[in-house]
Amino acid sequence: MTSHEDVFGQEAAVTCFAPGRVNLIGEYTDLIGGNVLPMPLTKGITVTAGPAASGIHAFSTAEEAKIDINLQDGKKDHWADYVAGPLVMAEKAGTTIPPMNLMVESDLPAGAGVSSSAALEVATLKALFALTGQDRSDTDIALLAQKAENEFCGVKCGIMDQMAVSVGDQGHALALNCETLEWDQVALPAGWSIAVIHCGEARQLTDGAYNERRAALDAASEELRPHPLKSQSVEIAKKLSDPLVARRVRHVLSEQARTLRATEALRKADMSLLGDLMNESHESLRADFEVSTGSLDRLVAAAREAGALGARLTGAGFGGCIVALVAESELEPWWHAVSTECPAAWAVEL
Ligand code: GLA
């Protein structure tokens, strides 16, 4: 295995890790300051960092490529954008970026919808602050990482992924309010498994479609001003002038209500209710938010047919993964049935 020293001729000074995440429920609700319920994975991204004589150099073990990063350059549409973007944002916020070497090692599948980009952004920032001896809260780091995604990479994402990978606890779901950024960690009850299954269809280039969804929600907020969208009941959708915007709003407001109920269900270990709400969430994402695909729908159907209490697409959609709630004792036969029905599907190791 390649080490920091092999690549840069000097041992790393700091090692920082950020996990991937799967979202149990609360899809696109972060865009209205709503609630989400993501869970960190055990797999993730490790960034090691050490001082350099000059310049900023990043090496990815997956790409086997060393890249010189110039903070004056904009985004280049490759993996190092998720290193450069956070450094640029940290610099804008007042940190002097020293010459340094960074090595990136990942055991997360890229482009699968499990937040490998948020993990790289957050691990990079944690490494930067550890190397320069600065104390930053995990929330501040998540906010800087989101800024990098919004302003450097041009994806107008919410705060869910960066918070999940910055503050989430293993084995717990993060019950996060995306407006106040208050959260608590809810343990997964014994006897239950969360399965994350890739549908076999790579997540398509989604930046444009994602930003469009956001624009629809922003248009609705504008129309309803001064009343915040989040505080409205789902009935308000009927009063909006544009029928497409109305459907997007119907999803996000019904999803917000489901997420609050699902969080309570998880706290009370009412897994049957949690499963039902996950199923409703998928239907709403498919019909109203239109971010599902045929492969995701087939996989969700197979997961339920094989005995999952709930199954839904997770993350932004457009390919990638589903999340399913399965009794631990049934996990093996369940996966056997699902993979027989959907041979292109593969399980993301948690
Ligand atoms: C992506 C974004 C998040 C969130 C999800 C959908 O993962 O990065 O902010 O909006 O999509 O829930």
Side-chain angles (χ1 to χ4, degrees):
M1 221 166 60
T2 322
S3 72
H4 192 98
E5 191 172 4
D6 294 337
V7 180
F8 296 113
Q10 213 183 11
E11 263 184 51
V14 300
T15 301
C16 292
F17 172 81
R21 69 94 186 92
V22 58
N23 190 20
L24 303 187
I25 196 163
E27 227 60 86
Y28 288 90
T29 42
D30 60 351
L31 297 185
I32 60 163
N35 291 66
V36 292
L37 195 61
M39 212 174 97
L41 308 180
T42 52
K43 305 248 172 210
I45 293 187
T46 302
V47 172
T48 53
S54 66
I56 301 167
H57 315 280
F59 179 84
S60 152
T61 54
E63 305 285 324
E64 290 191 355
K66 185 145 73 169
I67 285 188
D68 296 331
I69 292 181
N70 183 341
L71 298 184
Q72 271 37 270
D73 296 348
K75 87 166 175 161
K76 302 232 166 109
D77 290 319
H78 60 52
W79 63 270
D81 288 343
Y82 301 104
V83 176
L87 297 180
V88 167
M89 293 306 144
E91 189 177 48
K92 275 195 182 167
T95 297
T96 305
I97 313 295
M100 61 181 172
N101 296 318
L102 298 152
M103 189 169 100
V104 176
E105 227 178 321
S106 171
D107 54 10
L108 276 182
V114 292
S115 286
S116 57
S117 55
L120 180 49
E121 289 157 356
V122 165
T124 297
L125 286 169
K126 290 192 171 177
L128 167 71
F129 294 130
L131 187 68
T132 53
Q134 297 178 65
D135 214 12
R136 291 296 154 93
S137 74
D138 289 343
T139 298
D140 283 349
I141 287 177
L143 285 166
L144 266 185
Q146 182 200 19
K147 231 172 179 219
E149 191 90 41
N150 290 173
E151 293 176 22
F152 189 87
C153 300
V155 182
K156 306 288 174 208
C157 68
I159 191 65
M160 170 170 76
D161 301 344
Q162 290 77 12
M163 281 297 279
V165 310
S166 190
V167 312
D169 257 4
Q170 299 290 328
H172 291 73
L174 182 77
L176 172 71
N177 177 322
C178 296
E179 186 179 1
T180 61
L181 298 187
E182 286 169 335
W183 77 84
D184 67 320
Q185 316 270 2
V186 188
L188 193 68
W192 294 95
S193 292
I194 298 297
V196 183
I197 312 294
H198 195 289
C199 70
E201 173 187 62
R203 217 167 45 127
Q204 295 142 28
L205 270 189
T206 56
D207 300 4
Y210 186 95
N211 289 346
E212 254 172 54
R213 299 303 183 282
R214 177 163 204 146
L217 298 177
D218 288 349
S221 297
E222 193 55 39
E223 195 171 336
L224 295 171
R225 244 213 282 235
H227 308 290
L229 187 50
K230 177 184 161 182
S231 65
Q232 305 288 334
S233 88
V234 74
E235 301 305 313
I236 198 77
K238 295 191 190 122
K239 302 212 171 105
L240 293 167
S241 50
D242 180 334
L244 183 68
V245 169
R247 279 193 290 128
R248 305 296 190 241
V249 165
R250 192 163 65 184
H251 162 70
V252 86
L253 290 179
S254 63
E255 184 78 350
Q256 169 64 8
R258 276 188 292 274
T259 305
L260 295 177
R261 289 181 67 203
T263 305
E264 283 321 299
L266 182 63
R267 288 190 210 284
K268 293 185 184 137
D270 184 347
M271 303 315 257
S272 153
L273 177 58
L274 175 61
D276 289 348
L277 292 163
M278 289 170 73
N279 291 338
E280 283 173 28
S281 166
H282 183 79
E283 186 49 26
S284 174
L285 286 160
R286 185 191 68 75
D288 280 347
F289 220 63
E290 295 178 288
V291 294
S292 192
T293 64
S295 308
L296 285 168
D297 292 342
R298 282 189 291 279
L299 183 56
V300 159
R304 291 180 194 156
E305 181 64 31
L309 283 194
R312 55 182 288 280
L313 72 84
T314 183
F318 308 103
C321 292
I322 70 158
V323 58
L325 177 62
V326 186
E328 207 166 68
S329 57
E330 285 167 26
L331 199 56
E332 246 179 66
W334 175 81
W335 172 233
H336 181 74
V338 173
S339 53
T340 306
E341 186 64 30
C342 299
W346 48 276
V348 174
E349 259 186 78
L350 300 186

